[in-house]
Coordinates of all heavy atoms in Angstrom, one line a residue:
P411 N -14.2 29.5 4.7 CA -13.6 30.2 5.8 C -12.5 29.4 6.4 O -12.7 28.2 6.5 CB -14.8 30.4 6.8 CG -15.7 29.4 6.5 CD -15.5 29.0 5.0
P412 N -11.4 30.0 6.7 CA -10.3 29.3 7.4 C -10.8 28.9 8.8 O -10.3 29.4 9.7 CB -9.1 30.2 7.3 CG -9.7 31.6 7.1 CD -11.0 31.4 6.5
R415 N -11.0 29.9 12.9 CA -10.5 31.2 13.3 C -11.1 32.3 12.4 O -11.3 33.5 12.9 CB -9.0 31.3 13.3 CG -8.4 30.5 14.4 CD -6.9 30.7 14.4 NE -6.3 30.0 15.5 CZ -5.0 30.0 15.8 NH1 -4.2 30.6 14.9 NH2 -4.6 29.4 16.8
G416 N -11.3 32.0 11.2 CA -11.8 33.0 10.3 C -13.3 33.1 10.3 O -13.9 33.7 9.5
F417 N -13.9 32.4 11.3 CA -15.3 32.3 11.4 C -15.9 33.7 11.8 O -15.5 34.3 12.8 CB -15.6 31.3 12.4 CG -17.1 31.0 12.5 CD1 -17.7 30.2 11.6 CD2 -17.9 31.6 13.5 CE1 -19.0 29.9 11.7 CE2 -19.2 31.4 13.5 CZ -19.8 30.5 12.6
E418 N -16.8 34.2 10.9 CA -17.4 35.5 11.2 C -18.6 35.3 12.1 O -19.5 34.5 11.9 CB -17.9 36.0 9.9 CG -16.8 36.5 8.9 CD -16.0 37.6 9.5 OE1 -16.7 38.6 10.1 OE2 -14.8 37.6 9.4
L471 N -7.9 22.3 6.1 CA -7.1 23.3 5.4 C -6.3 22.7 4.3 O -6.2 23.2 3.2 CB -6.2 24.0 6.4 CG -6.9 25.0 7.4 CD1 -5.9 25.5 8.3 CD2 -7.6 26.1 6.6
Q487 N -2.4 37.6 -0.2 CA -2.7 38.9 0.4 C -1.4 39.6 0.8 O -0.5 39.0 1.4 CB -3.5 38.7 1.6 CG -4.0 39.9 2.4 CD -5.0 39.5 3.4 OE1 -6.2 39.3 3.0 NE2 -4.7 39.4 4.6
M489 N 1.3 41.7 2.8 CA 1.4 42.0 4.2 C 1.5 43.5 4.4 O 2.1 44.2 3.5 CB 2.7 41.4 4.7 CG 2.9 39.9 4.5 SD 2.0 39.1 5.8 CE 2.6 37.5 5.7
F532 N 1.1 36.4 1.7 CA 0.8 35.1 2.2 C -0.6 34.8 1.7 O -1.5 35.7 1.5 CB 0.8 35.2 3.7 CG 1.1 33.8 4.4 CD1 2.3 33.2 4.1 CD2 0.1 33.2 5.1 CE1 2.6 32.0 4.7 CE2 0.4 32.0 5.7 CZ 1.6 31.4 5.5
P533 N -0.9 33.5 1.6 CA -2.2 33.1 1.0 C -3.4 33.6 1.9 O -3.4 33.6 3.1 CB -2.3 31.6 1.0 CG -1.0 31.1 1.6 CD -0.1 32.3 1.8
L534 N -4.4 34.2 1.1 CA -5.6 34.7 1.8 C -6.3 33.6 2.6 O -6.8 33.9 3.7 CB -6.5 35.2 0.6 CG -7.6 36.1 0.9 CD1 -7.1 37.4 1.6 CD2 -8.4 36.4 -0.4
L535 N -6.3 32.4 2.0 CA -6.9 31.3 2.7 C -6.4 31.1 4.1 O -7.1 30.6 5.0 CB -6.7 30.1 1.8 CG -7.2 28.7 2.3 CD1 -8.7 28.7 2.3 CD2 -6.6 27.6 1.4
L536 N -5.1 31.4 4.3 CA -4.5 31.1 5.6 C -4.2 32.4 6.3 O -3.1 32.6 6.8 CB -3.2 30.3 5.3 CG -3.3 29.1 4.5 CD1 -1.9 28.5 4.2 CD2 -4.1 28.0 5.2
E537 N -5.2 33.2 6.3 CA -5.0 34.5 6.9 C -4.5 34.5 8.3 O -3.8 35.4 8.8 CB -6.2 35.4 6.6 CG -7.1 35.6 7.7 CD -8.3 36.4 7.4 OE1 -8.2 37.6 7.5 OE2 -9.4 35.8 7.0
H538 N -4.8 33.4 9.0 CA -4.3 33.3 10.4 C -3.1 32.4 10.5 O -2.8 31.9 11.5 CB -5.4 32.8 11.3 CG -6.6 33.8 11.4 ND1 -6.6 34.9 12.2 CD2 -7.7 33.8 10.7 CE1 -7.7 35.6 12.0 NE2 -8.4 34.9 11.1
G539 N -2.5 32.1 9.3 CA -1.4 31.2 9.3 C -0.2 31.8 9.9 O -0.2 33.0 10.4
D540 N 0.9 31.1 9.9 CA 2.1 31.5 10.6 C 3.2 31.6 9.5 O 3.8 30.6 9.2 CB 2.4 30.5 11.7 CG 3.8 30.7 12.2 OD1 4.6 31.6 11.8 OD2 4.2 29.8 13.0
P541 N 3.3 32.8 8.8 CA 4.2 32.9 7.7 C 5.7 32.4 8.0 O 6.2 31.6 7.2 CB 4.2 34.3 7.3 CG 2.9 34.9 7.8 CD 2.6 34.1 9.1
A576 N -1.3 26.8 10.2 CA -2.5 27.7 10.3 C -3.6 27.1 11.1 O -4.5 27.8 11.6 CB -3.0 28.0 8.9

Side-chain angles (χ1 to χ4, degrees):
R415 286 186 179 179
F417 186 81
E418 290 295 319
L471 290 175
Q487 180 167 283
M489 303 277 195
F532 205 65
L534 196 57
L535 176 69
L536 305 175
E537 100 185 270
H538 297 278
D540 167 4

